[in-house]
Amino acid sequence: MRSSMTPTFGHPSGGIEFMLHRAAEIYPSRLAIDDRLNGIRRTYAQLRSRSIRLARGLQAIGVGKGDVVATAFRNEVMAIESIFACAMIGAVSAPLNPRLAAPEARQFINLQNVSAFIGRSVFANFIEGTEVKHAVFCGATEGCSADVIIHDFEAIQTGHSDSPFPPCASLADPYMIVMTGGTTGGSKGATWSHGGGLIDMLSIMSHWNIRPGQKALCSAPIYHGAGLGWACMPIIWQAGTVIFPGGTSFDPEIFLRTVRDDLVDCLFLVPAVIAPLHRKWDGVPIKTVSSIAMASAPVPKGLRVKVAEMFPSAEKLVCYGMTECCSISMQQPRDFLNFGESVGEPALVARVRIVDDEGRAVAPHTAGNVVTRTLGQSLYYNNDPRNTANTFKPCADDPEELDWVFTGDIGQMDLDGKITLLDRAKDVIITGGENVPSTEVESILMLRPEVLECAVIGLPDDRWGEMVCAVLVSSVEPVGRLQLSRELHDACRERLAGFKVPKRFVFVANLPRNAFGKILKRDLRLTAFDEVYDADHLRSLAASNDGGRKEVVLIAKNGGL
């Protein structure tokens, strides 16, 4: 006879909703979400109650296990309620970037075979001309011309019980389709499993030292994998409080004031916000923050020093991850300033190898392709077998014959397991047959405080194939940029091989970035710049005795490069 304690294998065991049930059962009255965009505060009891009733409402309109549900919100509590509601019924949520143009959103929705939509009514044009059957809107819907059955976000919950019901999903089931960053092409749909998401969150809690009941200010967009899976969900699992900012764009003054006034414990920063924060900082160290993690792009030494000045008491670490595999590496806080080029050792949930173009391991300290195998690894790109096969594949010399994620990054690993990223494979500049990692040049340029941001790219060159071009955002006024270019050119010549020294210095007001702060170098390579300083001209000025009084080299915008 089967014992009542004998597990029934294959029976749904539940997924990421586990963390919400746990927190609500232990700390029902504790504040879960402080949504300052909408002026809404939800306790854990309220968050669970509303998520359950929304789940039952979705079931009532026919949404069930395996259905893909697109969501379109900013950082606000309804986004979290929607994700948990979908998880409870085994549906697969697909958060959309709210900054997408409508055609981009429709293309992604169609690719993912979305059957239902939950979001702000201002994003109703996302679903026009798609196969979406049901739309659950927050806000007035008069402007919606899509041929869908429309429901109100609050009304769909009315009349339903908030009593928990048996799980519909298991740990191996998909729970979310996450848009990739799209720095080298259109966004793909990396599909996360419940179990993979949970185990990666546990790893984050360990590496970042997230403790029960802590507060986090979450300004990173939660439609993105790191904003949700790193900056938000681990806090919920520890029954802490997530604060969503009051605005829809990053405001460094409000950010710093919130951190101080609310005694925020944990921060996740993308490198793009560090310099603006430092410029608005009043110089008084903020000692209440206990943990700061940084990711999404390289964090050069100059930015690390700024973070250390602002938050001297916090444990600070740089992380490396991808939407396709979640956590790859985590730096130990003691290495934050001492190993400024490193992104740490493989995370608790990750194995990392550096391989050649044939997929065979290379020696330590040798540059190669970064590949990883993680417990949080995506199952696949949804409805995209070609890209899945190109990204998730075995290494040539792996006796286990596992599928590894080929990240597209170039890096190296030392004998202690410390990983240094050298470049994106598609961003390596090949000039005269020599490879130039753009990050190596950028690290030299960023040593100058007048350089606020920079990106080094390769541009077509008839002689060398590609020329090295430095694109700069600077605090120096136009009249001083010629001199700065000369000094940067000389600094690079002192520290780098001649073929790595930029042949052109370009000044721009800002760098193009995706919504998560990653620089879009492909856009820069297609840009016709206004203000360009050519290295040959700089050398001729240096050889003259006119003190740099010659006419600045300017190339008309419509003339390109």
Side-chain angles (χ1 to χ4, degrees):
M1 178 179 294
R2 180 186 295 274
S3 164
S4 61
M5 297 299 291
T6 302
T8 304
F9 295 105
H11 185 77
S13 57
I16 63 117
E17 73 273 16
F18 170 91
M19 67 177 73
L20 178 57
H21 289 312
R22 175 188 178 274
E25 289 162 359
I26 304 173
Y27 308 103
S29 61
R30 183 176 287 177
L31 182 62
I33 306 291
D34 186 352
D35 175 357
R36 298 185 179 179
L37 182 63
N38 298 296
I40 297 172
R41 292 161 63 90
R42 296 268 193 260
T43 66
Y44 276 99
Q46 292 168 336
L47 183 63
R48 179 166 78 155
S49 173
R50 288 177 56 85
S51 297
I52 292 172
R53 289 190 286 112
L54 178 58
R56 292 184 183 277
L58 291 174
Q59 281 184 322
I61 64 173
V63 179
K65 184 173 181 176
D67 290 335
V68 180
V69 180
T71 63
F73 292 101
R74 300 182 177 92
N75 280 22
E76 47 192 328
V77 68
M78 290 76 76
I80 303 300
E81 293 170 348
S82 299
I83 290 168
F84 279 127
C86 288
M88 289 173 182
I89 61 175
V92 184
S93 57
L96 301 173
N97 179 351
R99 295 178 179 173
L100 291 175
E104 294 176 301
R106 294 168 194 153
Q107 180 181 16
F108 189 79
I109 285 171
N110 286 330
L111 177 61
Q112 308 311 323
N113 289 336
V114 171
S115 61
F117 173 89
I118 310 174
R120 286 281 176 192
S121 58
V122 294
F123 304 121
N125 60 349
F126 281 11
I127 59 175
E128 293 173 2
T130 68
E131 297 300 315
V132 172
K133 299 177 177 62
H134 292 271
V136 181
F137 287 127
C138 294
T141 59
E142 287 79 6
C144 180
S145 60
D147 184 19
V148 298
I149 301 172
I150 295 176
H151 312 269
D152 179 76
F153 188 83
E154 296 299 326
I156 199 173
Q157 303 176 40
T158 302
H160 293 293
S161 168
D162 65 357
S163 176
F165 50 86
C168 294
S170 296
L171 295 180
D173 289 331
Y175 99 89
M176 180 172 288
I177 298 171
V178 188
M179 299 185 73
T180 60
T183 58
T184 57
S187 290
K188 298 176 282 291
T191 305
W192 290 358
S193 69
H194 284 270
L198 286 169
I199 201 165
D200 193 78
M201 293 173 205
L202 284 173
S203 175
I204 289 294
M205 288 157 59
S206 174
H207 284 293
W208 296 10
N209 197 21
I210 296 173
R211 298 188 295 276
Q214 289 189 316
K215 288 182 183 178
L217 176 57
C218 183
S219 60
I222 59 172
Y223 76 84
H224 190 280
L228 181 72
W230 283 7
C232 182
M233 286 298 200
I235 301 297
I236 292 176
W237 200 338
Q238 285 284 41
T241 299
V242 176
I243 301 172
F244 290 142
T248 58
S249 58
F250 182 76
D251 187 314
E253 289 184 290
I254 293 177
F255 186 95
L256 290 168
R257 185 165 62 247
T258 303
V259 170
R260 275 209 171 100
D261 293 349
D262 288 86
L263 303 178
V264 169
D265 300 289
C266 306
L267 293 175
F268 174 71
L269 303 177
V270 296
V273 307
I274 295 173
L277 284 173
H278 194 264
R279 289 196 293 271
K280 295 297 183 179
W281 177 52
D282 60 9
V284 179
I286 302 172
K287 298 182 178 180
T288 53
V289 177
S290 61
S291 175
I292 301 177
M294 287 146 275
S296 90
V299 188
K301 182 67 176 289
L303 293 183
R304 295 183 186 221
V305 170
K306 288 179 169 62
V307 173
E309 290 174 348
M310 291 187 287
F311 305 100
S313 303
E315 288 190 343
K316 296 167 280 288
L317 70 159
V318 170
C319 315
Y320 168 43
M322 288 180 63
T323 307
E324 289 84 347
C325 48
C326 299
S327 302
I328 300 175
S329 69
M330 298 283 158
Q331 190 175 56
Q332 298 183 52
R334 66 170 179 264
D335 293 337
F336 181 66
L337 293 177
N338 297 329
F339 292 90
E341 302 303 316
S342 171
V343 290
E345 301 86 40
L348 286 172
V349 292
R351 297 164 64 184
V352 179
R353 306 178 80 204
I354 310 297
V355 302
D356 60 21
D357 290 341
E358 283 69 49
R360 301 182 186 278
V362 301
H365 299 286
T366 303
N369 302 289
V370 180
V371 301
T372 184
R373 172 80 185 180
T374 81
L375 294 176
Q377 193 161 303
S378 298
L379 301 172
Y380 41 73
Y381 293 127
N382 192 46
N383 295 330
D384 193 348
R386 183 180 64 83
N387 279 315
T388 297
N390 289 335
T391 300
F392 303 87
K393 55 189 178 181
C395 290
D397 60 353
D398 176 20
E400 297 175 88
E401 299 181 350
L402 298 170
D403 278 343
W404 295 71
V405 175
F406 280 67
T407 65
D409 291 322
I410 303 298
Q412 62 188 29
M413 186 187 298
D414 67 16
L415 292 171
D416 294 322
K418 288 184 174 60
I419 301 164
T420 300
L421 298 180
L422 302 175
D423 219 331
R424 289 289 293 170
K426 294 184 179 181
D427 289 337
V428 171
I429 302 162
I430 303 176
T431 179
E434 299 281 0
N435 288 353
V436 180
S438 60
T439 52
E440 184 179 3
V441 186
E442 289 163 358
S443 65
I444 301 300
L445 299 172
M446 287 297 294
L447 292 174
R448 287 293 295 261
E450 301 96 325
V451 178
L452 304 179
E453 295 181 301
C454 73
V456 171
I457 58 174
L459 295 175
D461 183 81
D462 292 339
R463 182 178 182 185
W464 302 111
E466 285 187 302
M467 72 166 69
V468 181
C469 175
V471 185
L472 310 169
V473 177
S474 174
S475 60
V476 173
E477 296 296 324
V479 68
R481 290 175 183 169
L482 172 61
Q483 180 62 28
L484 177 61
S485 299
R486 294 173 60 180
E487 293 172 3
L488 291 172
H489 181 265
D490 291 344
C492 289
R493 288 189 64 84
E494 290 175 7
R495 295 173 173 86
L496 299 171
F499 65 86
K500 297 180 181 179
V501 177
K503 302 298 186 290
R504 282 185 175 164
F505 293 83
V506 174
F507 290 85
V508 295
N510 51 67
L511 297 175
R513 296 178 183 271
N514 66 13
F516 208 66
K518 290 185 179 181
I519 297 170
L520 299 174
K521 290 189 176 181
R522 68 165 187 264
D523 288 2
L524 286 175
R525 286 190 283 266
L526 298 174
T527 300
F529 300 106
D530 283 325
E531 188 177 354
V532 179
Y533 300 84
D534 185 84
D536 291 335
H537 186 68
L538 295 175
R539 283 193 292 271
S540 69
L541 289 179
S544 70
N545 294 316
D546 66 357
R549 289 189 296 272
K550 288 186 178 180
E551 182 181 358
V552 172
V553 177
L554 291 176
I555 298 180
K557 186 170 185 178
N558 58 6
L561 287 167

